[in-house]
Amino acid sequence: MKMKLLIIFNLLLISSHFAISQTVQNSAAVEKVWAQYNKYKEPAITDRFMKHSEMMPLIQKHVTSKFVTKEEIGISVGDRSINHLTAGRGKMKVMLWSQMHGDESTATMALFDMFNFLGASDDNDNLRKLILDNLELHFVPMLNPDGAQAWKRRNDLEIDVNRDARMLVTPEGRALMGLAKKLQPEIGFNLHDQNYLYSSGRSKNSATISFLAPAYNYPKDMNAVRKRATQIILAMNKALQTKSRGNVAKYNDDFDPRCFGDTFQGMGISTILIESGGFYQDPEKQFIRKLNFLALLTAFESIATASYEREALKDYDLIPENDNSLYDVFVKNVTINKEGHEFKTNLGINRTQLKSADNSSMTFSGRIAELGDQELIFGYDEIDATGLKFTPAKIKTMTRAEWDKLNPQQELDLIKEGYLFVKWLNGKSPTGAIKNRLLNLTNNSENQVQAAGIGQNAEFLLTRDGKPVYAVINGYKVDLNQPAKVLSNTYGY
Ligand SMILES: [Zn+2]
């Protein structure tokens, strides 16, 4: 026993030593800009759903101020311009392109924050001068504007632009390849978003930012080009760890010749993939946008000073890989009665994202995704349901006028009495997302969720001796001992 404790103690020492060596200070100049981020954050971009028509005036602002020069390098299938913006007067060419997948806009938001920073003049002039004197920056924000318009991954030919690096049948892919061949930059940044449920290794930490220095061949060899990309990643990783510890991961490095990153790496461009994932209670990805800004600023500084050359390649092995250990809500050890069996198990619950008709906002629909024993699985929110029973909720009937008058505290009181649904006595209630409520509406006379089952709507109570302790409402955890707080959206059934 003592021996075991000693080993554990030693392991703790080793891991804390590792933690210290990982906690490296950002340069004071980058740290100062981080502290002043709100000054540079582009105020016109408030959510992830920016469209090409909203982006163009922002580009024009930076053209007018002469911070960037603009060149149109292509027209999308849906007739929208693809723009190449240039800034800086240095020798080292760095090319960045975002939103090749239309519904992956986090980095696009960050690029406009970056333009505001680099285009300004204030007490951070030293850092900006260092960057602009040493780098020639080439940006292609929103490479797939039609995808952004419809909030979809693919372009309007239904082709995934990031599987088009060889055939080049998409005008978007041709624009990117044409620019890369013309510029022949030393370094490239391929800016994407990934599934928000990815974790950093087998852990509770979401993979908020995942990096990859893509392979350029099937054996995944390392050469000088890929090595430089890896070292720049290591510099960015250190910076991110100081702001969001544990939320960085590595993307799968299997070679795929159809992808631009892999192809560019093979063309001699040190290419870095940045994938923006999820972060707790940041569905609009505004904190993740800020982390993108930090990652890029750190990269620019380290390229400008060549400080990335000091990074040891073996540290890349210490970054955990992307994993699938996260649910939106993970309920542990809940007692379930089903088909005449009583058993204790775990429930994994996810909220599917549903885009609005105009593709400019998102609502959520919570479902039970998994039921059963699970090892090293976590939730953005977790409930220890030891001693608690899965209990179907009741339907409260009232008039529409009474529903309209309910305040959050009254809704919470009804939930504590076992109700999760309201049925109007007079007329049909709306179906679909209901904003800023705690209770759902239903037109059914019976609750459809009687037992825990895969694919069921995540609408149930967790009770002790018949008394509700927690509720899961449209896939959101609600602690009934906490003050009443409305949810992003409940549902009309
Ligand atoms: Zn992508």
Side-chain angles (χ1 to χ4, degrees):
M1 193 63 184
K2 258 195 182 152
M3 189 65 184
K4 244 188 196 168
L5 275 175
L6 209 68
I7 292 170
I8 290 170
F9 183 68
N10 275 329
L11 279 174
L12 280 172
L13 267 182
I14 292 165
S15 65
S16 71
H17 173 76
F18 171 65
I20 291 162
S21 70
Q22 281 261 297
T23 310
V24 176
Q25 287 289 311
N26 294 327
S27 86
V30 169
E31 199 60 39
K32 192 166 147 224
V33 175
W34 168 266
Q36 298 176 19
Y37 169 77
N38 283 342
K39 193 161 106 186
Y40 307 116
K41 184 177 180 182
E42 174 51 59
I45 307 174
T46 54
D47 59 48
R48 319 177 257 159
F49 302 98
M50 181 172 61
K51 308 300 182 205
H52 185 264
S53 58
E54 297 163 86
M55 178 181 73
M56 291 313 290
L58 297 179
I59 290 180
Q60 194 50 50
K61 175 178 92 174
H62 294 292
V63 171
T64 305
S65 77
K66 298 203 160 53
F67 164 58
V68 296
T69 55
K70 185 183 79 157
E71 174 201 16
E72 195 173 287
I73 53 168
I75 301 281
S76 71
V77 177
D79 225 15
R80 296 184 172 90
S81 64
I82 298 167
N83 299 282
H84 162 215
L85 311 176
T86 307
R89 48 203 166 257
K91 271 195 267 178
M92 179 82 102
K93 285 184 192 164
V94 181
M95 178 174 155
L96 306 92
W97 57 99
S98 74
Q99 221 169 338
M100 170 189 284
H101 294 136
D103 55 356
E104 301 178 5
S105 64
T106 307
T108 305
M109 297 191 280
L111 287 182
F112 283 91
D113 302 338
M114 184 61 76
F115 300 159
N116 285 348
F117 165 69
L118 289 175
S121 177
D122 56 21
D123 58 344
N124 292 308
D125 276 349
N126 284 346
L127 177 59
R128 101 173 26 97
K129 191 168 177 308
L130 171 80
I131 293 169
L132 296 172
D133 280 352
N134 286 284
L135 309 182
E136 189 177 279
L137 294 164
H138 298 270
F139 301 94
V140 183
M142 199 186 281
L143 179 65
N144 177 2
D146 304 340
Q149 192 68 28
W151 199 250
K152 62 178 183 183
R153 177 181 176 89
R154 292 172 183 241
N155 83 338
D156 270 1
L157 301 176
E158 293 193 303
I159 292 205
D160 183 333
V161 178
N162 205 25
R163 302 293 179 270
D164 191 35
R166 281 192 305 192
M167 295 184 120
L168 296 173
V169 300
T170 63
E172 298 85 1
R174 280 198 297 274
L176 184 65
M177 183 59 83
L179 185 65
K181 284 192 167 159
K182 187 178 95 178
L183 295 174
Q184 300 190 335
E186 282 87 351
I187 296 164
F189 286 85
N190 189 9
L191 305 170
H192 289 252
D193 283 62
Q194 65 181 2
N195 191 328
Y196 76 101
L197 293 173
Y198 283 155
S199 56
S200 173
R202 273 272 190 229
S203 83
K204 188 178 160 55
N205 297 328
S206 58
T208 307
I209 299 287
S210 292
F211 289 115
L212 175 68
Y216 60 90
N217 61 7
Y218 283 106
K220 308 183 193 181
D221 291 332
M222 185 59 77
N223 62 4
V225 174
R226 194 176 178 209
K227 181 181 172 194
R228 177 163 60 188
T230 307
Q231 286 174 311
I232 296 167
I233 287 173
L234 290 169
M236 290 189 286
N237 174 49
K238 280 183 183 163
L240 293 175
Q241 295 291 349
T242 68
K243 306 300 170 206
S244 182
R245 209 174 153 67
N247 290 105
V248 178
K250 272 186 307 212
Y251 202 83
N252 180 307
D253 73 343
D254 287 345
F255 176 63
D256 188 338
R258 303 171 303 163
C259 299
F260 277 93
D262 307 47
T263 303
F264 285 174
Q265 201 86 274
M267 284 163 54
I269 304 166
S270 293
T271 305
I272 294 154
L273 172 74
I274 302 183
E275 294 272 358
S276 294
F279 190 79
Y280 186 55
Q281 293 187 339
D282 187 20
E284 287 309 324
K285 298 195 157 192
Q286 297 303 301
F287 179 63
I288 311 173
R289 161 185 180 178
K290 189 175 172 182
L291 291 179
N292 265 257
F293 175 85
L294 175 68
L296 292 177
L297 190 63
T298 302
F300 293 167
E301 188 202 38
S302 84
I303 298 165
T305 58
S307 62
Y308 66 86
E309 289 174 0
R310 295 198 296 267
E311 300 293 339
L313 220 47
K314 63 174 170 42
D315 286 351
Y316 193 65
D317 298 336
L318 301 176
I319 303 176
E321 297 205 11
N322 267 359
D323 211 322
N324 291 301
S325 358
L326 272 180
Y327 290 103
D328 275 314
V329 180
F330 190 55
V331 182
K332 287 186 268 195
N333 293 319
V334 58
T335 301
I336 291 175
N337 264 298
K338 194 175 179 183
E339 310 280 344
H341 292 259
E342 186 173 278
F343 53 97
K344 244 195 245 174
T345 193
N346 304 322
L347 290 176
I349 292 157
N350 286 334
R351 296 188 292 265
T352 306
Q353 304 196 13
L354 309 166
K355 57 185 178 183
S356 61
D358 65 357
N359 303 311
S360 286
S361 65
M362 202 64 84
T363 57
F364 301 88
S365 168
R367 304 266 171 170
I368 297 173
E370 187 55 279
L371 178 157
D373 184 17
Q374 292 183 81
E375 178 69 6
L376 283 173
I377 289 292
F378 308 90
Y380 276 100
D381 280 302
E382 295 184 353
I383 301 175
D384 179 359
T386 307
L388 303 182
K389 271 191 173 159
F390 179 101
T391 308
K394 297 184 288 185
I395 299 173
K396 178 80 176 171
T397 52
M398 63 177 71
T399 64
R400 178 176 184 169
E402 286 169 328
W403 160 262
D404 286 340
K405 270 190 288 188
L406 281 181
N407 65 38
Q409 185 56 50
Q410 290 168 321
E411 291 192 60
L412 187 68
D413 290 342
L414 284 170
I415 295 165
K416 287 180 182 174
E417 289 172 34
Y419 297 102
L420 287 188
F421 305 93
V422 165
K423 183 176 164 66
W424 291 350
L425 286 164
N426 44 346
K428 199 175 168 326
S429 58
T431 56
I434 302 167
K435 295 256 184 195
N436 302 320
R437 283 281 186 166
L438 272 159
L439 286 165
N440 299 295
L441 284 169
T442 185
N443 291 291
N444 305 317
S445 10
E446 270 184 40
N447 177 2
Q448 313 291 300
V449 187
Q450 287 299 319
I454 291 179
Q456 294 263 24
N457 297 314
E459 308 279 9
F460 57 87
L461 297 159
L462 296 169
T463 60
R464 180 178 285 120
D465 304 325
K467 195 173 165 294
V469 180
Y470 291 98
V472 172
I473 304 172
N474 192 35
Y476 289 95
K477 168 188 168 180
V478 178
D479 184 340
L480 302 180
N481 291 312
Q482 294 295 314
K485 191 168 161 253
V486 296
L487 301 171
S488 171
N489 73 272
T490 59
Y491 228 74
Y493 294 99

Short mmCIF file of all heavy atoms in Angstrom, two decimals, residues 101 104 153 192-193, ligand 1:
data_model
loop_
_atom_site.label_atom_id
_atom_site.label_comp_id
_atom_site.label_asym_id
_atom_site.label_seq_id
_atom_site.Cartn_x
_atom_site.Cartn_y
_atom_site.Cartn_z
N HIS A 101 -15.01 25.51 -45.46
CA HIS A 101 -16.29 24.88 -45.15
C HIS A 101 -17.23 25.98 -44.64
O HIS A 101 -16.90 26.69 -43.69
CB HIS A 101 -16.12 23.77 -44.11
CG HIS A 101 -15.30 22.62 -44.65
ND1 HIS A 101 -14.31 22.01 -43.93
CD2 HIS A 101 -15.35 22.00 -45.86
CE1 HIS A 101 -13.78 21.03 -44.68
NE2 HIS A 101 -14.40 21.01 -45.85
N GLU A 104 -18.13 26.96 -40.93
CA GLU A 104 -16.99 26.97 -40.00
C GLU A 104 -16.36 28.36 -40.00
O GLU A 104 -15.40 28.63 -40.72
CB GLU A 104 -15.97 25.90 -40.44
CG GLU A 104 -16.57 24.50 -40.46
CD GLU A 104 -15.58 23.42 -40.92
OE1 GLU A 104 -14.40 23.74 -41.14
OE2 GLU A 104 -16.02 22.27 -41.08
N ARG A 153 -21.54 22.94 -45.06
CA ARG A 153 -20.13 22.63 -45.24
C ARG A 153 -19.67 22.81 -46.69
O ARG A 153 -18.67 23.45 -46.96
CB ARG A 153 -19.92 21.17 -44.81
CG ARG A 153 -18.50 20.66 -45.01
CD ARG A 153 -18.43 19.19 -44.57
NE ARG A 153 -17.11 18.61 -44.81
CZ ARG A 153 -16.08 18.64 -43.96
NH1 ARG A 153 -16.23 19.25 -42.80
NH2 ARG A 153 -14.94 18.08 -44.25
N HIS A 192 -10.26 26.15 -39.88
CA HIS A 192 -11.52 25.38 -39.88
C HIS A 192 -12.18 25.36 -38.50
O HIS A 192 -11.62 25.83 -37.53
CB HIS A 192 -11.23 23.92 -40.26
CG HIS A 192 -10.87 23.72 -41.69
ND1 HIS A 192 -11.71 23.12 -42.59
CD2 HIS A 192 -9.74 24.04 -42.38
CE1 HIS A 192 -11.11 23.07 -43.78
NE2 HIS A 192 -9.92 23.62 -43.67
N ASP A 193 -13.38 24.75 -38.45
CA ASP A 193 -14.05 24.39 -37.19
C ASP A 193 -14.28 22.89 -37.18
O ASP A 193 -14.49 22.28 -38.24
CB ASP A 193 -15.42 25.08 -37.06
CG ASP A 193 -15.30 26.53 -36.67
OD1 ASP A 193 -14.71 27.29 -37.45
OD2 ASP A 193 -15.81 26.90 -35.60
ZN ZN B 1 -13.53 22.21 -42.11
#
